[in-house]
Amino acid sequence: MKHLRSIDELGVDGLRRLLDLSDHMAEINRRPVPKVPALRNKTVVSLFFEDSTRTRLSFETAAKRLSADTMSFSVGTSSVNKGESLRDTIETVAAMGVDAFVVRHKSSGVPWQISRWTEASVVNAGDGWHEHPTQAILDCYTVRTALNRPEGFDGMHIAIVGDIKHSRVARSNVWAFASLGARITLVAPHTLLPPSLEGWPVDVVHNIDDIIDRVDVLYMLRMQRERMHEALVPSLREYTAQFGLTPGRADRLQSHALVMHPGPMNRGVEMAVDPGELPGSVITQQVTNGVSVRMAVLFDLLGSGSALVGEASS
Ligand code: NCD
Protein backbone atom coordinates (compact mmCIF):
# COMPACT_ATOMS: atom_id res chain seq x y z
CA MET A 1 0.00 0.00 0.00
CA LYS A 2 1.46 3.37 -1.02
CA HIS A 3 -1.34 5.75 0.02
CA LEU A 4 -4.46 5.65 2.19
CA ARG A 5 -6.89 8.06 0.59
CA SER A 6 -10.20 6.19 0.72
CA ILE A 7 -11.74 3.01 2.10
CA ASP A 8 -12.45 1.87 -1.43
CA GLU A 9 -8.78 2.10 -2.34
CA LEU A 10 -7.90 0.08 0.76
CA GLY A 11 -10.32 -2.75 -0.02
CA VAL A 12 -11.62 -5.33 2.43
CA ASP A 13 -8.39 -7.33 2.54
CA GLY A 14 -6.44 -4.20 3.33
CA LEU A 15 -8.98 -3.28 5.98
CA ARG A 16 -8.68 -6.67 7.65
CA ARG A 17 -4.89 -6.50 7.49
CA LEU A 18 -4.90 -3.10 9.23
CA LEU A 19 -7.35 -4.31 11.90
CA ASP A 20 -5.04 -7.25 12.68
CA LEU A 21 -2.01 -4.97 12.73
CA SER A 22 -3.89 -2.61 15.08
CA ASP A 23 -4.06 -5.45 17.61
CA HIS A 24 -0.24 -5.54 17.68
CA MET A 25 -0.11 -1.78 18.05
CA ALA A 26 -2.67 -1.85 20.89
CA GLU A 27 -0.41 -4.36 22.64
CA ILE A 28 2.53 -1.95 22.28
CA ASN A 29 0.36 0.85 23.66
CA ARG A 30 -0.35 -1.19 26.79
CA ARG A 31 3.37 -1.52 27.60
CA PRO A 32 4.95 0.66 30.30
CA VAL A 33 7.04 2.31 27.55
CA PRO A 34 4.74 2.38 24.50
CA LYS A 35 7.41 2.98 21.88
CA VAL A 36 9.14 0.87 19.21
CA PRO A 37 11.87 1.79 16.71
CA ALA A 38 9.86 0.63 13.67
CA LEU A 39 9.86 3.96 11.79
CA ARG A 40 13.16 5.39 12.93
CA ASN A 41 14.59 7.77 10.28
CA LYS A 42 11.18 8.20 8.64
CA THR A 43 9.57 11.63 8.58
CA VAL A 44 5.82 12.15 8.87
CA VAL A 45 4.37 15.60 8.22
CA SER A 46 0.88 16.59 9.27
CA LEU A 47 -0.64 19.20 7.00
CA PHE A 48 -3.89 20.46 8.48
CA PHE A 49 -5.71 23.07 6.44
CA GLU A 50 -8.84 22.60 8.57
CA ASP A 51 -9.35 22.59 12.34
CA SER A 52 -8.71 19.41 14.26
CA THR A 53 -7.91 18.34 17.77
CA ARG A 54 -8.07 14.59 18.03
CA THR A 55 -7.11 13.53 14.52
CA ARG A 56 -3.93 15.63 14.38
CA LEU A 57 -2.79 14.70 17.88
CA SER A 58 -3.67 11.06 17.25
CA PHE A 59 -1.50 10.88 14.09
CA GLU A 60 1.36 12.71 15.78
CA THR A 61 1.23 10.41 18.80
CA ALA A 62 1.11 7.38 16.51
CA ALA A 63 4.15 8.56 14.53
CA LYS A 64 6.13 9.26 17.73
CA ARG A 65 5.34 5.85 19.22
CA LEU A 66 6.87 4.30 16.10
CA SER A 67 9.94 6.59 16.53
CA ALA A 68 9.31 8.56 13.32
CA ASP A 69 10.36 12.21 13.13
CA THR A 70 7.34 14.47 12.94
CA MET A 71 6.72 17.91 11.48
CA SER A 72 3.50 19.78 11.90
CA PHE A 73 2.14 22.44 9.63
CA SER A 74 -0.72 24.69 10.67
CA VAL A 75 -2.17 26.84 8.00
CA GLY A 76 -2.77 29.71 10.42
CA THR A 77 0.97 30.39 10.84
CA SER A 78 2.22 29.38 7.39
CA SER A 79 3.09 31.10 4.12
CA VAL A 80 -0.32 30.02 2.81
CA ASN A 81 -1.38 33.31 4.38
CA LYS A 82 1.09 35.06 2.07
CA GLY A 83 -0.64 33.51 -0.93
CA GLU A 84 1.52 30.42 -1.44
CA SER A 85 -0.30 27.81 -3.50
CA LEU A 86 -1.03 24.32 -2.27
CA ARG A 87 1.34 22.86 -4.82
CA ASP A 88 4.22 25.18 -3.85
CA THR A 89 3.59 24.43 -0.17
CA ILE A 90 3.73 20.67 -0.78
CA GLU A 91 6.84 20.88 -2.96
CA THR A 92 8.61 23.08 -0.41
CA VAL A 93 7.86 20.77 2.51
CA ALA A 94 8.64 17.67 0.43
CA ALA A 95 12.06 19.12 -0.45
CA MET A 96 13.00 18.83 3.24
CA GLY A 97 12.69 15.05 2.98
CA VAL A 98 9.29 13.63 3.81
CA ASP A 99 8.11 10.01 3.81
CA ALA A 100 4.42 10.59 4.50
CA PHE A 101 1.99 13.50 4.42
CA VAL A 102 -1.08 13.32 6.63
CA VAL A 103 -3.53 15.75 5.07
CA ARG A 104 -6.77 17.39 6.11
CA HIS A 105 -8.39 19.87 3.76
CA LYS A 106 -11.83 21.38 3.28
CA SER A 107 -11.89 20.41 -0.41
CA SER A 108 -12.67 16.89 -1.56
CA GLY A 109 -9.93 15.25 -3.60
CA VAL A 110 -6.94 17.20 -2.26
CA PRO A 111 -5.11 14.02 -1.06
CA TRP A 112 -5.22 12.68 -4.64
CA GLN A 113 -3.85 15.96 -6.01
CA ILE A 114 -1.02 15.97 -3.47
CA SER A 115 -0.02 12.43 -4.33
CA ARG A 116 0.60 13.59 -7.91
CA TRP A 117 3.04 16.24 -6.70
CA THR A 118 5.22 14.19 -4.36
CA GLU A 119 6.84 10.79 -4.07
CA ALA A 120 5.80 10.57 -0.41
CA SER A 121 2.88 8.50 0.86
CA VAL A 122 -0.34 10.42 1.43
CA VAL A 123 -2.83 9.68 4.18
CA ASN A 124 -6.23 11.33 3.98
CA ALA A 125 -7.16 12.71 7.41
CA GLY A 126 -10.45 14.12 6.09
CA ASP A 127 -11.17 15.83 2.75
CA GLY A 128 -14.25 18.00 2.72
CA TRP A 129 -17.48 15.97 2.75
CA HIS A 130 -15.75 13.11 1.01
CA GLU A 131 -13.77 10.57 3.08
CA HIS A 132 -12.06 10.05 6.43
CA PRO A 133 -10.64 6.54 6.10
CA THR A 134 -8.68 6.30 9.37
CA GLN A 135 -11.84 7.26 11.30
CA ALA A 136 -13.65 4.37 9.62
CA ILE A 137 -10.85 1.92 10.41
CA LEU A 138 -10.69 2.96 14.06
CA ASP A 139 -14.46 2.67 14.28
CA CYS A 140 -14.36 -0.85 12.82
CA TYR A 141 -11.59 -1.69 15.25
CA THR A 142 -13.63 -0.33 18.17
CA VAL A 143 -16.72 -2.35 17.20
CA ARG A 144 -14.65 -5.46 16.60
CA THR A 145 -12.96 -5.30 20.02
CA ALA A 146 -15.95 -4.06 22.06
CA LEU A 147 -18.34 -6.67 20.66
CA ASN A 148 -15.59 -9.30 20.29
CA ARG A 149 -16.18 -9.89 16.57
CA PRO A 150 -12.71 -10.52 15.08
CA GLU A 151 -14.13 -12.61 12.24
CA GLY A 152 -16.43 -9.91 10.82
CA PHE A 153 -19.75 -8.14 11.31
CA ASP A 154 -22.24 -10.55 9.70
CA GLY A 155 -25.69 -10.18 11.23
CA MET A 156 -24.77 -6.95 13.00
CA HIS A 157 -27.11 -3.95 12.63
CA ILE A 158 -25.51 -0.50 12.72
CA ALA A 159 -27.49 2.75 12.64
CA ILE A 160 -25.73 5.95 11.58
CA VAL A 161 -27.74 8.92 12.78
CA GLY A 162 -27.81 12.58 11.81
CA ASP A 163 -26.04 14.83 9.38
CA ILE A 164 -25.10 12.26 6.74
CA LYS A 165 -25.11 14.87 3.99
CA HIS A 166 -22.02 16.74 5.21
CA SER A 167 -20.29 13.77 6.80
CA ARG A 168 -17.07 12.34 5.43
CA VAL A 169 -17.18 10.00 8.43
CA ALA A 170 -20.48 8.52 7.23
CA ARG A 171 -19.17 8.15 3.67
CA SER A 172 -16.12 6.17 4.83
CA ASN A 173 -17.85 4.24 7.60
CA VAL A 174 -20.73 2.97 5.46
CA TRP A 175 -18.28 1.25 3.10
CA ALA A 176 -16.04 -0.05 5.86
CA PHE A 177 -18.85 -1.44 8.05
CA ALA A 178 -20.62 -2.92 5.02
CA SER A 179 -17.49 -4.59 3.67
CA LEU A 180 -17.14 -6.41 7.00
CA GLY A 181 -20.72 -7.67 6.66
CA ALA A 182 -22.81 -5.28 8.78
CA ARG A 183 -26.31 -4.18 7.84
CA ILE A 184 -26.52 -0.39 7.91
CA THR A 185 -29.47 1.91 8.43
CA LEU A 186 -29.12 5.66 7.95
CA VAL A 187 -31.38 7.72 10.19
CA ALA A 188 -31.89 11.34 9.14
CA PRO A 189 -34.39 13.88 7.88
CA HIS A 190 -34.53 14.21 4.08
CA THR A 191 -32.65 17.51 4.27
CA LEU A 192 -29.61 15.89 5.94
CA LEU A 193 -29.24 13.05 3.42
CA PRO A 194 -27.14 13.29 0.24
CA PRO A 195 -29.20 14.07 -2.89
CA SER A 196 -28.67 10.50 -4.11
CA LEU A 197 -27.92 7.30 -2.22
CA GLU A 198 -27.71 5.24 -5.36
CA GLY A 199 -25.27 2.38 -4.87
CA TRP A 200 -24.96 2.90 -1.10
CA PRO A 201 -25.40 -0.42 0.77
CA VAL A 202 -27.90 1.07 3.24
CA ASP A 203 -31.53 1.29 4.31
CA VAL A 204 -32.94 4.65 5.31
CA VAL A 205 -35.45 5.54 8.00
CA HIS A 206 -36.60 8.98 9.09
CA ASN A 207 -37.60 8.09 12.63
CA ILE A 208 -34.97 7.01 15.13
CA ASP A 209 -37.64 5.50 17.40
CA ASP A 210 -38.41 2.89 14.73
CA ILE A 211 -35.04 1.21 15.18
CA ILE A 212 -33.38 2.31 18.41
CA ASP A 213 -34.37 -0.81 20.34
CA ARG A 214 -33.03 -3.14 17.65
CA VAL A 215 -29.57 -1.90 16.75
CA ASP A 216 -26.25 -3.33 17.90
CA VAL A 217 -24.41 -0.06 17.29
CA LEU A 218 -25.83 3.46 17.42
CA TYR A 219 -23.40 5.79 15.63
CA MET A 220 -24.23 9.46 16.26
CA LEU A 221 -22.90 12.16 13.94
CA ARG A 222 -22.17 15.77 14.71
CA MET A 223 -24.38 18.43 13.17
CA GLN A 224 -21.83 20.12 10.88
CA ARG A 225 -23.08 23.64 11.31
CA GLU A 226 -19.92 25.13 9.75
CA ARG A 227 -20.80 23.40 6.45
CA MET A 228 -24.48 24.41 6.39
CA HIS A 229 -25.32 27.47 4.35
CA GLU A 230 -29.07 27.22 4.77
CA ALA A 231 -31.47 26.10 7.46
CA LEU A 232 -31.70 22.35 6.99
CA VAL A 233 -33.55 21.68 10.22
CA PRO A 234 -36.29 23.86 11.70
CA SER A 235 -34.33 24.37 14.94
CA LEU A 236 -31.70 22.55 16.93
CA ARG A 237 -34.23 21.92 19.66
CA GLU A 238 -36.52 20.21 17.21
CA TYR A 239 -33.60 18.22 15.79
CA THR A 240 -32.80 16.94 19.29
CA ALA A 241 -36.41 16.03 19.90
CA GLN A 242 -36.58 14.04 16.67
CA PHE A 243 -33.08 12.63 16.20
CA GLY A 244 -31.05 13.26 19.36
CA LEU A 245 -29.95 10.62 21.83
CA THR A 246 -32.06 11.58 24.82
CA PRO A 247 -32.21 9.72 28.17
CA GLY A 248 -35.54 8.16 27.16
CA ARG A 249 -34.06 6.79 23.95
CA ALA A 250 -30.90 5.60 25.69
CA ASP A 251 -33.10 3.51 27.99
CA ARG A 252 -34.51 1.71 24.96
CA LEU A 253 -31.13 0.51 23.65
CA GLN A 254 -30.38 -3.19 23.90
CA SER A 255 -28.10 -3.96 26.84
CA HIS A 256 -25.18 -4.94 24.60
CA ALA A 257 -25.59 -2.01 22.17
CA LEU A 258 -22.67 0.34 21.63
CA VAL A 259 -22.99 4.13 21.39
CA MET A 260 -20.36 5.83 19.22
CA HIS A 261 -19.52 9.36 18.09
CA PRO A 262 -16.46 10.54 16.12
CA GLY A 263 -16.20 13.77 18.12
CA PRO A 264 -16.33 16.64 18.57
CA MET A 265 -19.75 16.19 20.20
CA ASN A 266 -22.46 18.82 20.33
CA ARG A 267 -23.71 18.19 23.83
CA GLY A 268 -27.39 18.89 24.14
CA VAL A 269 -27.90 18.62 20.35
CA GLU A 270 -27.24 15.13 18.93
CA MET A 271 -25.97 13.96 22.33
CA ALA A 272 -28.62 14.96 24.84
CA VAL A 273 -27.27 12.52 27.42
CA ASP A 274 -23.95 12.42 29.24
CA PRO A 275 -22.02 9.67 27.43
CA GLY A 276 -20.12 9.02 30.67
CA GLU A 277 -23.36 7.68 32.09
CA LEU A 278 -24.16 5.36 29.19
CA PRO A 279 -22.92 1.84 29.86
CA GLY A 280 -22.64 1.17 26.11
CA SER A 281 -20.65 4.29 25.23
CA VAL A 282 -17.29 3.51 23.61
CA ILE A 283 -16.57 7.11 22.63
CA THR A 284 -13.41 7.26 24.74
CA GLN A 285 -12.22 3.90 23.39
CA GLN A 286 -12.62 5.31 19.87
CA VAL A 287 -10.05 7.97 20.73
CA THR A 288 -7.68 5.49 22.39
CA ASN A 289 -8.00 3.03 19.52
CA GLY A 290 -7.36 5.84 17.05
CA VAL A 291 -3.69 5.91 18.08
CA SER A 292 -3.23 2.13 17.57
CA VAL A 293 -5.00 2.22 14.21
CA ARG A 294 -2.95 5.18 12.95
CA MET A 295 0.23 3.40 14.07
CA ALA A 296 -0.92 0.42 11.98
CA VAL A 297 -1.57 2.67 8.97
CA LEU A 298 1.80 4.45 9.18
CA PHE A 299 3.64 1.18 9.71
CA ASP A 300 1.85 -0.43 6.78
CA LEU A 301 2.80 2.50 4.52
CA LEU A 302 6.35 3.13 5.69
CA GLY A 303 7.63 0.15 7.63
CA SER A 304 10.06 -2.24 6.05
CA GLY A 305 9.36 -5.95 6.25
CA SER A 306 12.31 -6.43 8.57
CA ALA A 307 11.23 -3.88 11.20
CA LEU A 308 9.49 -6.23 13.59
CA VAL A 309 6.68 -4.44 15.32
CA GLY A 310 6.66 -6.73 18.31
CA GLU A 311 10.33 -6.21 19.15
CA ALA A 312 11.52 -4.79 22.44
CA SER A 313 11.02 -1.07 22.84
CA SER A 314 13.94 1.34 22.82
C1 NCD B 1 -14.79 14.28 12.30
C2 NCD B 1 -14.22 15.03 11.14
O1 NCD B 1 -13.47 15.99 11.30
O2 NCD B 1 -14.51 14.63 10.05
N1 NCD B 1 -14.09 14.39 13.47
C3 NCD B 1 -12.96 13.66 13.64
O3 NCD B 1 -12.13 13.50 12.78
N2 NCD B 1 -12.82 13.08 14.84
C4 NCD B 1 -16.23 14.46 12.46
C5 NCD B 1 -16.74 15.84 12.69
O4 NCD B 1 -16.04 16.84 12.58
O5 NCD B 1 -17.93 15.91 12.96
Side-chain angles (χ1 to χ4, degrees):
M1 185 167 87
K2 165 89 179 173
H3 305 294
L4 176 62
R5 294 167 299 192
S6 68
I7 288 295
D8 185 44
E9 170 174 79
L10 177 62
V12 66
D13 293 339
L15 174 59
R16 288 183 186 276
R17 180 180 72 244
L18 290 177
L19 294 174
D20 290 340
L21 196 49
S22 301
D23 273 330
H24 290 283
M25 300 303 176
E27 185 275 313
I28 291 168
N29 286 328
R30 286 190 293 270
R31 293 179 191 172
V33 182
K35 193 161 181 174
V36 290
L39 294 187
R40 197 181 275 157
N41 301 326
K42 301 285 184 187
T43 300
V44 177
V45 175
S46 40
L47 282 177
F48 278 67
F49 295 90
E50 220 189 38
D51 296 344
S52 168
T53 307
R54 69 210 81 220
T55 304
R56 188 167 60 80
L57 294 178
S58 182
F59 270 108
E60 287 173 11
T61 305
K64 291 195 167 99
R65 290 191 180 172
L66 295 172
S67 306
D69 294 326
T70 54
M71 288 197 269
S72 185
F73 167 97
S74 301
V75 69
T77 53
S78 72
S79 290
V80 169
N81 288 338
K82 299 181 186 166
E84 187 164 58
S85 74
L86 179 61
R87 182 169 186 160
D88 285 339
T89 304
I90 298 300
E91 289 177 352
T92 302
V93 179
M96 296 176 199
V98 173
D99 297 289
F101 283 106
V102 176
V103 183
R104 171 168 286 193
H105 200 282
K106 68 177 189 320
S107 300
S108 301
V110 162
W112 282 261
Q113 260 180 316
I114 290 178
S115 57
R116 285 196 290 274
W117 298 329
T118 164
E119 287 302 305
S121 292
V122 177
V123 183
N124 182 0
D127 63 325
W129 304 3
H130 182 223
E131 280 246 18
H132 192 352
T134 59
Q135 181 72 43
I137 306 167
L138 78 88
D139 288 330
C140 289
Y141 186 73
T142 302
V143 172
R144 159 172 143 140
T145 49
L147 293 180
N148 192 20
R149 294 290 300 272
E151 73 294 347
F153 296 172
D154 282 344
M156 189 186 293
H157 189 183
I158 300 179
I160 302 179
V161 185
D163 185 1
I164 317 281
K165 180 179 173 134
H166 301 100
S167 178
R168 54 194 173 207
V169 174
R171 279 178 187 73
S172 289
N173 280 34
V174 161
W175 296 103
F177 287 147
S179 72
L180 294 175
R183 171 181 160 213
I184 300 161
T185 301
L186 304 180
V187 186
H190 289 282
T191 50
L192 293 181
L193 287 168
S196 164
L197 287 171
E198 210 183 306
W200 290 45
V202 297
D203 297 321
V204 178
V205 301
H206 303 294
N207 188 345
I208 189 171
D209 295 306
D210 288 347
I211 53 142
I212 190 139
D213 53 357
R214 272 176 276 155
V215 298
D216 302 298
V217 176
L218 186 71
Y219 196 103
M220 305 300 293
L221 293 171
R222 181 173 70 87
M223 287 287 275
Q224 309 238 335
R225 281 177 278 181
E226 78 279 18
R227 298 191 208 274
M228 292 183 195
H229 305 297
E230 53 192 333
L232 296 175
V233 291
S235 73
L236 287 179
R237 194 176 338 147
E238 187 143 331
Y239 177 81
T240 306
Q242 287 192 28
F243 294 96
L245 184 56
T246 57
R249 291 195 175 113
D251 284 343
R252 295 182 54 215
L253 287 164
Q254 301 188 80
S255 59
H256 71 270
L258 305 180
V259 175
M260 303 178 71
H261 193 299
M265 276 183 282
N266 287 313
R267 284 184 189 258
V269 183
E270 73 272 359
M271 289 298 284
V273 280
D274 179 357
E277 287 176 7
L278 291 177
S281 167
V282 288
I283 295 169
T284 311
Q285 281 98 305
Q286 287 173 270
V287 177
T288 305
N289 291 337
V291 175
S292 303
V293 165
R294 290 175 175 122
M295 287 168 74
V297 168
L298 292 174
F299 181 75
D300 201 63
L301 293 173
L302 303 181
S304 72
S306 58
L308 268 185
V309 166
E311 267 177 4
S313 51
S314 60

